[in-house]
Amino acid sequence: MKFRSSLFLLPLAVLALKNSAKAQSVIIPIETANNALVLEANNNHDVNTVYFGPKLADSKEYNHIAPAVGKDNDYTGQMASVYTPAGSRNLLEPAIAVTHADGNQSLDLKYVSHKVDKVSDDVSLLTLVLKDNVYNTEVTLYYKSYFKDDVIEQWSTIRNGEKGTLVLNKFASANLYLKAGSFYLTQYHGDWAKEMRPETSQLTHGIKTLDSKLGTRADLFQPPVFMVSMDKPATEDEGTVMYGSIEWSGNYRTDLELDPENNLRVISGINNYASAYQLKAGESFTTPPFLSVLSRNGKGDASRKLQHWARNYKLLDGNGNRLTLLNNWESTYFDFDETKLAALLKDTKKLGVDMFLLDDGWFGNKYPRNGDHSGLGDWQETKTKLPNGIASLVKGATDNGVKFGIWVEPEMVNPKSELYEKHPDWVIKQPKRDEYYFRNQLVLDLANPAVQDFVFGILDGLFTKNPDLAYIKWDCNAVIYNAYSAYLKKDQSQFYVDYMRGLYKVLSRIRAKYPKVPMMLCSGGGGRVDYNALQYFTEFWPSDNTDPLERVFIQWEYSYFYPAISSSNHVTDWSKLPVKYRVDVASMGKLGFDIVISKLPENDLKFVQDAVKNFNGFKDIVWHGDQYRLLDPRENPVASVAYVNEAKTSAVMFNYLVNYRYDEGSKAPIRLKGLDPAKQYKIKETNLYPGTKSGINENQIYSGDFLMKIGINPHVNSGRSSVVLMIEAV
Ligand code: GLA
């Protein structure tokens, strides 16, 4: 008891000192439309977070927050640090840990200066410089705030001003500090075909870590996105919630530490696992951004802000268009030739979609890619399958009035390939250990600039030879085992970081030369999607699982973080559910098909042809409108999602039966959201299967007020398991 109270005196003494020198503290508020993140450089020159919450009407009052809230029993003066340095006073999880050239492991970062630059009407950049007083180590923190969307991206640059090498043992992007009565973490787990399974739990004291160590991708088991609700779990429309995600496509680590004073410290960045990074004298290391969005109006509001931000600022061509397509993967797998493809090009036209996408299996001659055991790495057309090459297929597509796209997996290699024979040193593997495979393949060493050139050359070669090539599906079906780069020699601990930087270099080069060609980010599932990769890609592949019932759940969870326009949804034969259900679910994003059109029964064919036309009519609302999740499939027998255009004149509402027990269905009206209460609307059912009639009265006029307070019953039941309604202002 005595011990504790004597310790308790220490912060009070410090506090008194601070109050006497109060004039010296610098308040640094970062304001967005609704929120403020307030930092303070105190008289001790420590920079702490004093507040992250709804902004105050009078910004001068940010000065009063710290005294009003009172001080925690913080013996370190660093629990609320904006970038907690290890090895000096800190006792909790650090954001940065270093080893100086002389072997010393201490760091203490003090305020030097800050400035705010206005990037545009909407975007501001705060630059905050911190420096150690003993060692010449400088850290610059960046906070890029997007006013309208309440989004903040933050990252850091660490500069080694010493004469020798500085080793970065930990180098986070963000170190947030949240105050609330309690915190509820929603995290995701999964595996191949089981992506985005949510789990919500109250955070207890100590550290909860979300991380991955897969090398090529952030996610297979655990994506980098998460939510933290404050005081109670947020619902769609209520509660305070922060979404966060590191923007990094490789190993990441997010620590959520409920500290002894019941505040939540969120420290997120590249995973420092096996990744101590060496900075030579004068060098700098810039971390990837961590993004967050904070809302007091529930998960729906937070996700609409994030989606809006993504379309405007991050996702490639986020406000543009996308190509509907027919893919041949599940209809042919590796077994195709020119004759089969010619027929598929005709089917593409018949279906009415924009493009044909040729999948895996078109390359390799010494070791043709007739299965997933061989050929990967040898990017020449297989002569026996395609004697006239890709060029003749592109031409065939053009002759049919459709575009042509192609699958590549350029970072990978099968041991059974000419590439592997020629360049064993380009392959990631341990020199003295047995090779270990993921889908019979290994990963190329993108830390090596020669490999970067090779990967860039694959894409560049395809575009140069086929200027009309309209689309790339960029796959990544392996993780990194036996991490070892022959190129990095003794610097193996830089490998994971340098691999990802190498990949980004290649993608930047591709985008410099081919700025807008649409590319899908695929990873045998949704394992690669994150906001760093999405600046180079127009869309991602959420899961190999295309069973529409599964997809209702998977797409629902992804939609909290990513806009519909980025979600590649293909209609396949994974499920026995009616083709209408499959098409309706796939229409909540970027519609594609991977079924055998020539084998469709007459009515199914008629249905899909009409559905493609209908989709072209409403895709603008889905792609560029606001999304409202109306009924959660985890809590109801029916799932319901609506998209509303910006003018609130058009909406499309998707409704699905997700519980097939006796007599389940929509028993009551479902309340719409996001309409204009003062507008009058008419409702019409679309995507009706040939020969069926809608029970919806198309002539009835409803006010937006009525539709949002009372709602409309789509009459979903086992005979109408999927219902799409168009809501148009009159
Ligand atoms: C991955 C993709 C599939 C398909 C195959 C091809 O599994 O997710 O869509 O492209 O690779 O091998």
Side-chain angles (χ1 to χ4, degrees):
M1 216 35 221
K2 224 174 175 183
F3 169 70
R4 183 160 166 84
S5 56
S6 65
L7 264 181
F8 190 67
L9 286 176
L10 183 66
L12 291 181
V14 171
L15 180 63
L17 189 78
K18 279 180 190 164
N19 283 339
S20 68
K22 202 155 173 285
Q24 288 174 20
S25 78
V26 184
I27 294 287
I28 310 166
I30 302 160
E31 286 190 327
T32 58
N34 298 289
N35 304 323
L37 171 60
V38 183
L39 317 179
E40 180 192 35
N42 62 25
N43 62 317
N44 202 26
H45 305 292
D46 292 327
V47 188
N48 292 324
T49 302
V50 289
Y51 180 72
F52 190 21
K55 76 176 177 193
L56 301 182
D58 178 358
S59 62
K60 285 197 285 304
E61 288 198 301
Y62 293 128
N63 290 303
H64 306 324
I65 295 179
V69 170
K71 285 285 160 183
D72 287 333
N73 188 19
D74 174 0
Y75 324 133
T76 70
Q78 288 186 325
M79 282 192 195
S81 171
V82 286
Y83 204 66
T84 314
S88 50
R89 291 165 289 148
N90 174 51
L91 299 172
L92 301 177
E93 184 58 32
I96 178 168
V98 302
T99 307
H100 298 283
D102 64 2
N104 190 292
Q105 300 204 99
S106 72
L107 191 69
D108 200 358
L109 295 169
K110 299 290 183 183
Y111 174 82
V112 176
S113 65
H114 78 278
K115 62 167 182 159
V116 179
D117 292 308
K118 200 120 180 82
V119 179
S120 69
D121 275 356
D122 192 37
V123 185
S124 302
L125 180 68
L126 165 70
T127 306
L128 171 61
V129 182
L130 310 172
K131 202 170 166 301
D132 192 293
N133 286 337
V134 178
Y135 284 92
N136 200 351
T137 305
E138 193 180 87
V139 173
T140 307
L141 301 181
Y142 297 92
Y143 296 80
K144 195 170 184 183
S145 50
Y146 300 81
F147 190 84
K148 272 194 230 117
D149 300 319
D150 289 320
V151 168
I152 298 177
E153 282 182 298
Q154 56 188 103
W155 65 95
S156 64
T157 295
I158 304 157
R159 205 182 75 81
N160 177 16
E162 295 170 34
K163 294 217 167 61
T165 298
L166 179 77
V167 181
L168 306 181
N169 302 309
K170 190 165 186 201
F171 35 93
S173 296
N175 185 167
L176 284 167
Y177 182 75
L178 307 173
K179 281 186 177 286
S182 52
F183 300 92
Y184 297 82
L185 171 69
T186 301
Q187 62 183 99
Y188 292 87
H189 72 105
D191 202 336
W192 179 80
K194 297 187 281 193
E195 290 80 0
M196 293 300 279
R197 303 202 166 175
E199 286 172 319
T200 298
S201 53
Q202 184 171 357
L203 286 167
T204 53
H205 290 87
I207 302 176
K208 169 82 190 181
T209 300
L210 309 176
D211 86 329
S212 81
K213 305 181 181 78
L214 307 165
T216 48
R217 52 209 264 187
D219 171 32
L220 174 64
F221 309 130
Q222 192 159 59
V225 291
F226 65 92
M227 302 175 188
V228 174
S229 300
M230 282 159 252
D231 297 317
K232 59 177 185 197
T235 63
E236 280 298 313
D237 301 305
E238 284 180 343
T240 300
V241 64
M242 184 192 86
Y243 292 6
S245 182
I246 184 72
E247 299 178 32
W248 185 247
S249 313
N251 299 353
Y252 74 89
R253 171 172 165 189
T254 299
D255 289 310
L256 300 115
E257 181 172 31
L258 190 58
D259 76 13
E261 300 302 314
N262 311 318
N263 303 306
L264 187 67
R265 309 172 70 244
V266 181
I267 299 178
S268 182
I270 294 175
N271 201 337
N272 58 336
Y273 159 76
S275 293
Y277 207 92
Q278 309 219 354
L279 274 192
K280 298 210 179 65
E283 282 184 351
S284 298
F285 184 99
T286 296
T287 69
F290 171 86
L291 82 86
S292 62
V293 59
L294 177 70
S295 170
R296 274 182 300 150
N297 300 310
K299 298 192 280 186
D301 182 54
S303 73
R304 280 184 291 281
K305 284 175 170 156
L306 193 54
Q307 293 179 8
H308 186 263
W309 169 83
R311 289 193 302 262
N312 284 294
Y313 292 111
K314 196 55 78 164
L315 172 70
L316 188 78
D317 204 17
N319 289 314
N321 280 311
R322 298 293 185 269
L323 300 167
T324 54
L325 60 86
L326 177 66
N327 191 187
N328 69 311
W329 175 239
E330 292 187 18
S331 58
T332 66
Y333 292 105
F334 298 95
D335 180 20
F336 56 80
D337 57 18
E338 281 182 352
T339 316
K340 269 195 188 174
L341 296 181
L344 290 177
L345 288 174
K346 291 211 160 58
D347 286 347
T348 309
K349 178 75 185 160
K350 192 164 157 194
L351 179 60
V353 290
D354 303 319
M355 184 183 65
F356 175 73
L357 169 59
L358 177 62
D359 214 284
D360 194 356
W362 58 268
F363 48 88
N365 284 297
K366 184 172 175 191
Y367 304 106
R369 179 79 171 165
N370 289 330
D372 62 12
H373 281 78
S374 61
L376 208 51
D378 302 343
W379 299 100
Q380 299 78 36
E381 296 96 323
T382 309
K383 295 217 171 69
T384 48
K385 278 180 178 169
L386 305 173
N388 298 299
I390 299 297
S392 85
L393 299 174
V394 178
K395 183 171 178 305
T398 313
D399 293 346
N400 278 287
V402 294
K403 292 179 191 293
F404 188 86
I406 202 161
W407 179 96
V408 290
E409 196 179 9
E411 295 151 86
M412 305 287 164
V413 61
N414 282 130
K416 216 167 152 193
S417 68
E418 290 185 76
L419 180 69
Y420 183 94
E421 289 173 350
K422 259 211 250 153
H423 294 288
D425 57 319
W426 284 9
V427 179
I428 297 166
K429 53 182 179 143
Q430 285 289 346
K432 294 181 195 155
R433 295 185 194 279
D434 289 344
E435 289 175 6
Y436 192 73
Y437 307 122
F438 195 106
R439 206 195 184 198
N440 317 303
Q441 65 199 50
L442 292 165
V443 182
L444 293 175
D445 179 12
L446 274 170
N448 183 342
V451 176
Q452 294 165 19
D453 288 345
F454 170 78
V455 173
F456 172 77
I458 298 167
L459 278 284
D460 194 35
L462 279 168
F463 286 128
T464 311
K465 279 190 234 140
N466 309 289
D468 289 332
L469 187 61
Y471 183 90
I472 298 287
K473 174 176 176 182
W474 180 306
D475 215 336
C476 165
N477 283 305
V479 299
I480 293 177
Y481 295 122
N482 286 317
Y484 180 87
S485 158
Y487 173 79
L488 286 175
K489 300 199 177 77
K490 286 208 155 29
D491 296 331
Q492 292 302 319
S493 68
Q494 314 209 165
F495 169 69
Y496 284 121
V497 172
D498 285 359
Y499 178 91
M500 226 8 99
R501 286 178 164 178
L503 174 65
Y504 293 149
K505 269 190 203 153
V506 173
L507 291 168
S508 306
R509 274 171 80 185
I510 291 170
R511 282 316 181 190
K513 195 158 175 192
Y514 309 100
K516 285 247 163 130
V517 182
M519 294 208 298
M520 183 214 288
L521 177 60
C522 181
S523 195
R528 214 177 208 187
V529 60
D530 63 86
Y531 274 117
N532 205 323
L534 281 184
Q535 63 189 312
Y536 306 104
F537 290 86
T538 48
E539 54 217 71
F540 71 95
W541 183 241
S543 174
D544 273 357
N545 189 341
T546 46
D547 175 327
L549 183 58
E550 292 288 330
R551 273 302 184 114
V552 168
F553 291 80
I554 292 174
Q555 290 172 202
W556 177 282
E557 297 302 331
Y558 271 118
S559 80
Y560 284 110
F561 304 97
Y562 301 104
I565 190 171
S566 66
S567 180
S568 293
N569 305 333
H570 290 187
V571 176
T572 71
D573 286 326
W574 265 59
S575 135
K576 299 256 172 318
L577 282 169
V579 73
K580 168 170 165 53
Y581 195 113
R582 288 181 265 160
V583 172
D584 289 352
V585 173
S587 297
M588 296 192 299
K590 217 219 77 169
L591 177 64
F593 293 82
D594 199 349
I595 49 175
V596 187
I597 300 300
S598 58
K599 288 200 181 137
L600 286 178
E602 197 185 327
N603 274 343
D604 279 10
L605 177 64
K606 170 98 179 61
F607 170 78
V608 289
Q609 288 170 324
D610 288 346
V612 169
K613 287 190 197 120
N614 295 337
F615 181 74
N616 286 333
F618 64 65
K619 66 188 180 189
D620 186 54
I621 310 169
V622 174
W623 291 350
H624 306 118
D626 273 328
Q627 185 209 27
Y628 293 86
R629 284 172 294 266
L630 307 175
L631 280 189
D632 186 341
R634 286 192 167 73
E635 290 163 13
N636 303 280
V638 171
S640 183
V641 177
Y643 301 83
V644 182
N645 72 352
E646 210 184 331
K648 300 180 186 292
T649 50
S650 302
V652 50
M653 180 196 191
F654 297 88
N655 309 278
Y656 309 103
L657 188 65
V658 294
N659 182 334
Y660 284 80
R661 295 197 61 190
Y662 177 72
D663 198 32
E664 285 294 6
S666 59
K667 304 287 182 194
I670 300 172
R671 284 191 282 272
L672 270 297
K673 292 174 189 171
L675 300 177
D676 180 345
K679 282 196 164 66
Q680 303 290 315
Y681 296 92
K682 269 190 166 182
I683 299 182
K684 185 175 185 258
E685 184 167 350
T686 190
N687 279 8
L688 275 166
Y689 193 78
T692 60
K693 284 214 173 69
S694 175
I696 306 291
N697 179 355
E698 291 181 11
N699 298 316
Q700 179 69 51
I701 291 178
Y702 303 93
S703 67
D705 180 56
F706 180 92
L707 290 173
M708 293 193 289
K709 287 178 179 160
I710 309 296
I712 172 97
N713 190 338
H715 299 296
V716 172
N717 55 50
S718 58
R720 276 167 64 80
S721 57
S722 171
V723 176
V724 184
L725 301 178
M726 297 298 306
I727 300 160
E728 298 284 352
V730 292

